[in-house]
Amino acid sequence: VVVLLSLLGLAAAGKLLVVPVDGSHWLSMREVLDMLQQKGHEVVVVAPEVSLHIKPSKTFVMKMYPVPFTQEEMDEVFKGSMQDLFEEGSFLERVIRQYQQAKKTSALFLATCTHLIHNKELIKYLEESKFDAVLTDPFLPCGQIVAEHLSLPSVYFLQQVPCGLEYQATQCPNPPSYIPRAFTDLTDHMTFLQRVKNMIYDIPNYFLCDVVYQPYAELASEFLKREVTVPDLLRQASIWLMKLDFVLHYPKPLMPNMVLISGVNCAYKKLNQ
């Protein structure tokens, strides 16, 4: 009886492969990994040797791989990105700045993903490790490329995906008639002209997304040996854990496998007096 009970205890835990996105995306995911480890799950994080916040921890196994840029180069790119976000200007000026910055940051992240999936030694280790699932942030689809290669179910941990790709991937309604787009300063109650403005503001997203995501589609097609698009990759998710809540976001349609888990957007810090 003791032996059987011990086997049941072992079966309750799982082996999780984590392919995170660096920056603020990692901060809340790290807290989730700490909790998973406390519940007995084995967590393996795959990350580049150069990163902003992803560092080794006692709560998970870290598998690192080399990338073709230095820490200084990465810091410079992200510093410019943060400055652009807080600069004012017309809608056109902001779109142009975002486009230029998206090219820089996406090139850096694409290089990170390319060196991950082309690292034969690391991929072989992942193939032989018999993971139960992949936890990843679909803001960048590198984790889903790995999940597809390993034929593993994937869990997404995110706030949102640029250009509303989560709605395209899940075929979830995303009507511009009452869901405000970024930079519009609109609410979910709009006049007819405001709805027209909302649709116009959505148009540049198609160009921005092509710059960021089309290279991932080409990379995935080459690696998986079949033609795929980014929505094709994203729609394979088993569940979407959405770090949002209608208290801070406007009500919008959701699909059955989209679960709201607000309150984990930032790393927890105890406030002083």
Side-chain angles (χ1 to χ4, degrees), residues 13-20 26 29-30 32-46 57-63 125 131-133 135:
K15 190 171 184 180
L16 186 68
L17 172 62
V18 181
V19 185
W26 165 251
M29 180 178 280
R30 183 183 59 197
V32 173
L33 300 185
D34 291 342
M35 294 299 297
L36 289 172
Q37 189 273 337
Q38 292 176 23
K39 292 180 180 293
H41 301 289
E42 182 180 352
V43 178
V44 177
V45 177
V46 174
S57 170
K58 296 180 180 179
T59 58
F60 53 78
V61 176
M62 176 78 85
K63 291 294 181 179
Y125 163 80
F131 292 99
D132 296 302
L135 175 65

Side-chain angles (χ1 to χ4, degrees), residues 1-14 39-42:
V1 172
V2 172
V3 172
L4 288 174
L5 289 175
S6 65
L7 290 176
L8 288 174
L10 290 173
K39 292 180 180 293
H41 301 289
E42 182 180 352

Side-chain angles (χ1 to χ4, degrees), residues 71-262:
Q71 186 69 55
E72 290 74 19
E73 291 172 332
M74 169 174 265
D75 292 343
E76 187 64 28
V77 169
F78 276 90
K79 182 179 179 181
S81 179
M82 292 301 102
Q83 290 175 341
D84 283 344
L85 286 176
F86 291 100
E87 285 187 12
E88 297 183 355
S90 67
F91 171 70
L92 182 59
E93 289 173 337
R94 284 183 288 173
V95 168
I96 293 174
R97 285 204 308 267
Q98 270 207 330
Y99 177 82
Q100 293 172 340
Q101 195 61 42
K103 290 174 63 177
K104 296 178 183 179
T105 55
S106 61
L108 186 144
F109 279 123
L110 181 65
T112 300
C113 184
T114 301
H115 281 71
L116 165 58
I117 66 175
H118 286 165
N119 189 315
K120 295 182 179 179
E121 182 179 348
L122 179 56
I123 292 297
K124 183 179 179 181
Y125 163 80
L126 299 180
E127 292 171 344
E128 296 174 348
S129 295
K130 306 300 181 183
F131 292 99
D132 296 302
V134 174
L135 175 65
T136 186
D137 188 327
F139 187 86
L140 295 173
C142 195
Q144 188 54 44
I145 296 175
V146 174
E148 283 290 293
H149 175 72
L150 300 177
S151 299
L152 291 174
S154 52
V155 177
Y156 290 168
F157 184 78
L158 73 155
Q159 186 178 55
Q160 61 184 10
V161 181
C163 311
L165 285 177
E166 68 266 41
Y167 298 99
Q168 182 180 346
T170 58
Q171 296 183 327
C172 181
N174 188 31
S177 57
Y178 76 95
I179 299 182
R181 294 334 191 215
F183 301 133
T184 60
D185 296 323
L186 297 173
T187 71
D188 55 331
H189 292 80
M190 292 178 273
T191 65
F192 174 74
L193 290 180
Q194 287 175 328
R195 291 175 183 174
V196 172
K197 174 185 177 181
N198 201 40
M199 293 189 66
I200 293 174
Y201 269 56
D202 209 23
I203 293 174
N205 284 336
Y206 297 102
F207 302 102
L208 291 172
C209 281
D210 279 344
V211 172
V212 176
Y213 289 108
Q214 183 56 34
Y216 284 94
E218 297 172 358
L219 182 63
S221 299
E222 174 193 353
F223 183 63
L224 299 174
K225 301 294 190 297
R226 57 186 173 86
E227 195 70 27
V228 294
T229 65
V230 170
D232 289 337
L233 291 170
L234 296 182
R235 67 172 52 102
Q236 302 301 320
S238 298
I239 190 168
W240 298 65
L241 301 179
M242 313 288 288
K243 299 183 291 180
L244 56 83
D245 193 299
F246 292 155
V247 173
L248 296 176
H249 296 75
Y250 296 111
K252 61 180 69 176
L254 296 173
M255 298 303 278
N257 63 338
M258 289 180 166
V259 181
L260 302 185
I261 54 166
S262 65

